[in-house]
Amino acid sequence: MDVSARIEAVYAQIVHRNPGESEFHQAAREVLPALAPVLGAHPEYLEARIVERLCEPERQLVFRVPWVDDDGEVQVNRGFRVEFNSALGPYKGGLRFHPSVDLGIVKFLGFEQIFKNALTGLAIGGGKGGADFDPKGRSDGEVMRFCQSFMTELHRHLGEHTDVPAGDIGVGAREIGYLFGQYKRLTNRFEAGVLTGKPVAWGGSPARTEATGYGTVHFAQEMLRTRKRDFDGLTVVVSGSGNVALYAIEKVHSLGGRVVACSDSSGHVVDPDGVDLALLKEIKEVRRQRISAYADAKPSAVFSGRGSVFELPCEVALPCATQNELTEQSAIALVKNGVMAVAEGANMPCTPAAIEIFREADVLFGPGKAANAGGVATSALEMQQNASRERWTFAQTEARLAAVMTEVHTLCRATADRYGCSPDDYALGANAAGFVRVAEAMAAQGVV
């Protein structure tokens, strides 16, 4: 069986074993063809069935999460943790609390996490988790009781040398605090390294909050430099207005770019004067209001509940909201309006058709597993600080983050070139480079 046929057989097996999990199927379909040149050069990986083993999680946890709301009513949610691969280190990946979460979503995120974590060069494996719980509109007491119930089951599977979750959509400092408190209560240990994304006051890392957004912009800046450009004077659009989007906007502005649009699930705002970040943070992080409140407070801004930020003229687009938000139609509009670079701040926000359009138009495209690796890289740096009982300064941590993102960018280009592709093919470079690091470790550790 040749390499292409073997890859198709693996994909068919994934679809058969994981019926209805379309996001996981999509993630596998994006990764597997990129591995063909690697497998052709390393037949020993085929013989050891590295790809087949890599695509099957080491452990999949599904559990009930019962809790009591403020009205005294019992609620029941479903929790998940997919511990996908530990060849390079303990499972590492966030927890997502959102109504859309199911096993397929968690599996797709965990699969992507394997390659993303490997690209950082740090000793972390891949995993992901979450629940179909929606923290929006819930009181602090309800969120606390849910988190305590969730951790009561999950804690037996965690540990700083086993599995280290962090935050994701719907899981911020508040939720991490409640989760950690329950873990500490159940285990009778202040094991700071078991969760990352903690507040700095009790074991968190400076720059962790900013890391994913900052890292995405660092990666985009490196891509632009290959064409002798940078963010200075460029017009940028950012989807989302959560943690990743906010700090991507902040970093773009610090580099001289101008973000003219951002969004949330209700619509988007356009501000030709440039997004007022202080106002946006006030609305989203303090008032917890919809994005339309920004336009109400800023005369130069316009809110729209229709269309997309990606229909606006820009040189750089940063999709930072959720999976499959940037469609083929959006990609066509971006290319028509002169976009030069797209870097994924979210996980798999661009559809396969959109990515193909960018490739055909010679638009620089940074896949999420490379472009947004700064968040998990800084989580690993938080683990280092916890293990050594040290606290770095913001400047120290950001410098390490920038260095990691530069190294990831260099590795992607070098790997694509090594396997006979254009160095601008960041998608192939990221997939191949991450795979090689994991495959080497799996081969060395035997059939486990």
Side-chain angles (χ1 to χ4, degrees):
M1 184 182 294
D2 65 20
V3 171
S4 296
R6 183 71 166 271
I7 287 172
E8 286 303 314
V10 172
Y11 180 73
Q13 184 180 58
I14 289 171
V15 173
H16 174 72
R17 282 186 169 178
N18 306 276
E21 297 176 0
S22 57
E23 292 85 2
F24 181 36
H25 302 165
Q26 180 182 336
R29 173 56 77 189
E30 188 266 328
V31 169
L32 292 177
L35 305 183
V38 181
L39 296 172
H42 297 278
E44 66 272 20
Y45 295 157
L46 290 172
E47 293 171 11
R49 294 193 177 272
I50 296 293
V51 180
E52 289 88 337
R53 290 155 56 193
L54 187 66
C55 293
E56 184 66 23
E58 293 176 11
R59 189 173 295 105
Q60 302 178 58
L61 309 170
V62 183
F63 51 94
R64 182 180 65 202
V65 188
W67 57 284
V68 180
D69 67 20
D70 287 345
D71 294 326
E73 298 290 332
V74 175
Q75 303 290 333
V76 181
N77 287 97
R78 180 171 288 181
F80 307 89
R81 186 69 176 172
V82 174
E83 297 176 332
F84 225 117
N85 191 283
S86 60
L88 294 177
Y91 308 105
K92 188 82 191 77
L95 299 171
R96 175 176 295 191
F97 291 169
H98 191 272
S100 66
V101 170
D102 58 23
L103 188 58
I105 292 282
V106 174
K107 218 176 285 182
F108 124 64
L109 292 168
F111 186 66
E112 289 280 293
Q113 202 78 41
I114 300 170
F115 302 91
K116 181 189 301 185
N117 294 1
L119 285 172
T120 69
L122 302 169
I124 42 178
K128 205 77 177 183
D132 58 358
F133 168 75
D134 190 355
K136 287 182 180 177
R138 293 294 182 181
S139 69
D140 287 349
E142 288 176 321
V143 173
M144 179 185 71
R145 291 190 290 276
F146 174 82
C147 289
Q148 289 174 340
S149 181
F150 182 88
M151 183 55 78
T152 297
E153 172 57 34
L154 187 62
H155 84 280
R156 68 195 77 214
H157 305 287
L158 305 183
E160 59 185 344
H161 303 297
T162 305
D163 188 348
V164 182
D168 193 80
I169 293 172
V171 179
R174 174 182 62 172
E175 289 76 16
I176 291 293
Y178 294 148
L179 291 165
F180 183 80
Q182 184 72 350
Y183 181 88
K184 180 166 63 74
R185 182 184 190 187
L186 292 166
T187 63
N188 195 33
R189 295 194 302 271
F190 193 100
E191 193 175 313
V194 76
L195 283 168
T196 59
K198 303 181 294 294
V200 174
W202 48 275
S205 173
R208 176 61 189 91
T209 302
E210 297 84 355
T212 307
Y214 277 22
T216 300
V217 176
H218 278 303
F219 193 90
Q221 177 91 319
E222 292 296 323
M223 290 199 300
L224 290 168
R225 284 173 175 162
T226 66
R227 298 191 178 176
K228 303 187 186 310
R229 299 295 299 269
D230 58 28
F231 273 100
D232 191 29
L234 297 187
T235 299
V236 182
V237 298
V238 176
S239 67
S241 51
N243 181 72
V244 179
L246 290 173
Y247 291 102
I249 293 169
E250 183 169 285
K251 180 54 68 173
V252 168
H253 286 175
S254 75
L255 295 174
R258 183 169 54 100
V259 176
V260 297
C262 59
S263 64
D264 66 11
S265 58
S266 69
H268 67 275
V269 291
V270 180
D271 190 345
D273 292 347
V275 170
D276 183 332
L277 186 60
L279 175 60
L280 184 61
K281 285 184 177 181
E282 167 73 19
I283 287 167
K284 302 305 292 186
E285 296 186 328
V286 180
R287 302 187 210 168
R288 297 183 183 272
Q289 294 178 328
R290 309 309 289 163
I291 198 76
S292 57
Y294 179 94
D296 294 339
K298 188 112 184 292
S300 61
V302 176
F303 169 76
S304 175
R306 303 176 63 183
S308 163
V309 294
F310 303 120
E311 296 170 1
L312 303 171
C314 64
E315 284 90 22
V316 179
L318 303 176
C320 296
T322 191
Q323 65 266 13
N324 291 326
E325 58 169 316
L326 203 166
T327 63
E328 179 180 14
Q329 182 179 356
S330 296
I332 291 170
L334 283 170
V335 170
K336 181 180 178 181
N337 287 326
V339 74
M340 293 191 301
V342 177
E344 296 185 322
N347 293 307
M348 206 169 73
C350 298
T351 65
I355 295 169
E356 187 58 32
I357 287 167
F358 295 143
R359 182 177 288 114
E360 291 174 356
D362 198 28
V363 172
L364 294 166
F365 172 70
K369 60 175 62 70
N372 70 42
V376 74
T378 308
S379 281
L381 300 180
E382 182 176 330
M383 292 166 65
Q384 287 185 24
Q385 293 170 73
N386 293 156
S388 62
R389 301 291 195 271
E390 293 180 339
R391 180 181 294 177
W392 302 347
T393 66
F394 188 99
Q396 286 175 305
T397 310
E398 188 183 4
R400 287 288 303 274
L401 167 64
V404 168
M405 297 311 297
T406 299
E407 290 165 7
V408 170
H409 177 266
T410 300
L411 177 64
C412 289
R413 291 184 66 84
T415 303
D417 184 61
R418 181 179 306 122
Y419 289 104
C421 297
S422 165
D424 287 347
D425 194 341
Y426 292 96
L428 185 140
N431 288 320
F435 172 75
V436 167
R437 284 182 168 171
V438 177
E440 288 177 349
M442 291 178 69
Q445 293 168 19
V447 181
V448 294

